[in-house]
Amino acid sequence: NAGVTQTPKFRVLKTGQSMTLLCAQDMNHEYMYWYRQDPGMGLRLIHYSVGEGTTAKGEVPDGYNVSRLKKQNFLLGLESAAPSQTSVYFCASSPWAYEQYFGPGTRLTVT
Amino acid sequence: GENVEQHPSTLSVQEGDSAVIKCTYSDSASNYFPWYKQELGKRPQLIIDIRSNVGEKKDQRIAVTLNKTAKHFSLHITETQPEDSAVYFCAASKRGNNDMRFGAGTRLTVKP
């Protein structure tokens, strides 16, 4: 039982490049979330999903897209990366709307 | 939208002392208040949470208190140990995780 995993762990992008971050969970959780964490700002919710095939915007959705084609996977896409998107990205999952379990994080640098 | 402020930003205590971290929130409709612990380079982990129908909740050395009238809630850690050293985040929401707003964090250092 791996819990919540994230791929990749680290990535460096040039401005304008695109990439997809993968979050996978093996706990059969309905809810999944993507956050970004910046120094001195805590965690901010980007997008979330309350079930397979559904997605919704969080606090800071601009510049990101998501998809939840399979219940166990939640993908976060950056179509045209900007330096302001340099951050640590955390995925989380939850069996209901409370008590979420976080993945190990992805450190993204955009130059 | 909801705004959560957390104080202090850093806190240093001696092993065995108590530590208190305070948070205020702006939206009176918020009803869920979790606390997360994040060790250096690790993922955040939920350590305790409280709903708005409860004024206090305890779990061993950790307790959370909620004052809905004043719109503030606090984390209390008693008999602190070096392994309590971490960054602690408070959060508030109306719809569970789906609209959660986090505080900026408190870096707690417990000196042996």
Side-chain angles (χ1 to χ4, degrees):
Chain A
N1 191 336
V4 181
T5 58
Q6 293 182 229
T7 309
K9 290 184 170 55
F10 303 93
R11 185 72 186 268
V12 178
L13 285 179
K14 294 186 186 303
T15 298
Q17 288 184 321
S18 63
M19 78 162 295
T20 300
L21 281 67
L22 170 64
C23 177
Q25 52 97 3
D26 61 2
M27 298 176 283
N28 201 35
H29 287 172
E30 290 293 334
Y31 296 75
M32 295 188 75
Y33 306 87
W34 274 108
Y35 291 90
R36 61 178 288 172
Q37 183 174 37
D38 302 296
M41 297 187 72
L43 290 145
R44 291 184 291 170
L45 182 62
I46 304 172
H47 286 280
Y48 66 97
S49 168
V50 300
E52 181 178 314
T54 75
T55 63
K57 294 180 180 179
E59 181 185 359
V60 289
D62 293 344
Y64 305 95
N65 56 76
V66 289
S67 63
R68 183 104 182 264
L69 299 179
K70 293 183 179 180
K71 185 177 183 179
Q72 63 268 34
N73 295 337
F74 195 28
L75 279 64
L76 178 71
L78 286 73
E79 291 184 348
S80 180
S84 60
Q85 294 178 303
T86 293
S87 188
V88 178
Y89 291 85
F90 285 99
C91 172
S93 73
S94 178
W96 58 325
Y98 302 88
E99 196 178 355
Q100 55 192 328
Y101 299 87
F102 284 87
T106 295
R107 185 173 295 276
L108 175 66
T109 301
V110 183
T111 61
Chain B
E2 175 68 274
N3 182 47
V4 177
E5 294 191 354
Q6 183 171 345
H7 301 280
S9 58
T10 60
L11 179 60
S12 181
V13 300
Q14 287 295 133
E15 183 177 358
D17 287 350
S18 295
V20 180
I21 302 170
K22 299 180 179 181
C23 288
T24 61
Y25 61 98
S26 60
D27 191 340
S28 57
S30 289
N31 56 24
Y32 177 59
F33 308 92
W35 286 88
Y36 286 84
K37 175 183 179 182
Q38 187 177 27
E39 296 176 6
L40 188 61
K42 300 293 180 68
R43 71 193 76 187
Q45 290 187 301
L46 179 69
I47 55 172
I48 195 167
D49 58 9
I50 193 168
R51 309 286 178 89
S52 61
N53 59 344
V54 175
E56 182 176 1
K57 183 176 178 180
K58 295 182 74 172
D59 183 2
Q60 299 183 338
R61 297 185 297 108
I62 293 173
V64 58
T65 58
L66 171 65
N67 183 327
K68 285 219 74 180
T69 302
K71 291 189 284 188
H72 68 70
F73 56 111
S74 301
L75 178 71
H76 304 253
I77 306 174
T78 59
E79 300 174 15
T80 54
Q81 303 167 1
E83 50 266 38
D84 293 329
S85 295
V87 178
Y88 291 80
F89 293 97
C90 64
S93 72
K94 293 178 287 193
R95 299 185 290 118
N97 302 325
N98 299 346
D99 65 343
M100 193 165 294
R101 296 291 191 266
F102 284 78
T106 295
R107 182 174 300 280
L108 173 65
T109 302
V110 181
K111 298 178 180 178

